[in-house]
Amino acid sequence: MTDNLKNLGRTTQTIHAGQHVDAATGAVAPPIIQSSTFAFADCAQGAARFAGEADGFIYTRMGNPTIARLEEAVATIEGGAQGLATGSGMAAFCTVVFALLNQGDHLVGTSSVYGPSRVVMERDFSRFGVESSFVDTSDLDALRAAIRPNTKIVFIETPANPTIVLTDLAAAAEIAHNAGAVLLVDNTFASPVLQRPIEYDADVVMHSMTKFINGHTDVVAGMIIPKDDEMRARLKPVHAYLGACMDPHQAWLALRGFKTLALRVRAAQDNAGIIAEYLETHHKVEWVRYPGLKSHPQYELADRQMDGPGSLISFEVKGGVEAGAKLLDTVKLMTLAVSLGGVETLIQHPSSMTHAAMPREDRIAAGITDGLVRVSIGCEDVEDLIADFDRAFAEV
Ligand code: LCS
């Protein structure tokens, strides 16, 4: 954590965290240290670095100066120890699970999470004797009941993808800790500008930085933020050897995106508030789920644990799947594509796209209805987005 930024505003933090004038050249923008390996002055220095007795870089899979700036930047705003950057959000999740669980352990997670996070537990980690179960963690009694004697990770995604259901972070932390488990929070949907789970006692935070943190739909990347150095020490050896590392150029792009994170999140959120109201009053819309609307069942929780409702909206068009598909096929300015959190508005159909790998009965149980449409509102002029919706709804 960069202590001198600790008490400054989010916009200031995102602009300055991890940004240091380069000592060698005076460059204000960070250099891309595109090197796989780092020379030692002598054998003693090499041995000391490997033994962890001397600072300095060894090999980029184990650490790199450009990547370290990004790990510092995200940790500063999340309020945790230095991060561990990964090649993707999925690599971040798998690294945490691989590091913290042993054969015979159990993970309990939010039923509506990014589909592959659930699939990788149920299909792949199960092959190594690691159990998982998924429940509606917005229901704290259901979460409590799902804890088993061997539960070692409580995995919360809030707001959840794509249902936009929230989980009470402080309560989930208490339940996890009472059971001797770790609370892992996927903070991708909120971004650290709007929600910092470590403030609510989470042990590990993860991100798909592909989304808001990079923000320009041109990088796939992930990040793990441990709450403290002790947790970092549990994760770091696996991160160094599993091979889920980031590339320096990828880190540089994400670091550039990070500078405007607060500005982009607020601009998109302003648009999303207007569009959520537009959708809620539209006669062709069945229902809308957005934490900034009073109709959201957890409007008060959003107000309590988030600094704003964000820019992801889910809704269903009257007429179900067919009507929704017509809307998605007709929009012009909005792009029919998966992913989210970029400056451009992206719209998609989770049942046939991001969450298609989940069995239908699990999807339905998780609240992912066949007709659910998810839209990630971007930073365009809001009247242009509304005109696009108007045009498309007229065809439905
Ligand atoms: N966590 C969340 C909440 C996500 O939404 C995603 C990706 C991941 C983790 C995985 O990150 P990745 O490996 O892709 O960087 N979500 C996607 C989505 O909703 N549409 O496309 C990807």
Side-chain angles (χ1 to χ4, degrees), residues 29-44:
I32 310 174
I33 309 294
Q34 192 75 40
S35 182
S36 59
T37 194
F38 297 84
F40 309 127
D42 51 35
C43 285

Side-chain angles (χ1 to χ4, degrees), residues 329-369:
D329 286 341
T330 315
V331 293
K332 285 202 175 88
L333 180 62
M334 290 180 264
T335 304
L336 175 56
V338 299
S339 203
L340 57 109
V343 287
E344 62 287 278
T345 298
L346 300 178
I347 193 160
Q348 66 112 2
H349 178 231
S351 304
S352 66
M353 296 171 188
T354 48
H355 293 69
M358 275 169 77
R360 183 171 181 272
E361 70 261 26
D362 288 351
R363 275 202 310 268
I364 298 297
I368 307 166
T369 56

Side-chain angles (χ1 to χ4, degrees), residues 185-196:
V185 180
D186 185 331
N187 202 26
T188 299
F189 263 43
S191 93
V193 171
L194 300 180
Q195 178 173 275
R196 291 159 302 282

Side-chain angles (χ1 to χ4, degrees), residues 87-93 113-117 155 157 159-162 186-189 206-211 219-222 337-340 348 354-355 374:
S88 69
M90 284 310 298
F93 177 65
V113 288
Y114 175 53
S117 300
F155 173 48
E157 201 179 282
N161 186 359
D186 185 331
N187 202 26
T188 299
F189 263 43
M206 59 153 283
H207 281 280
S208 167
M209 293 199 297
T210 314
K211 313 296 169 357
V219 171
V220 170
V338 299
S339 203
L340 57 109
Q348 66 112 2
T354 48
H355 293 69
R374 187 192 77 187

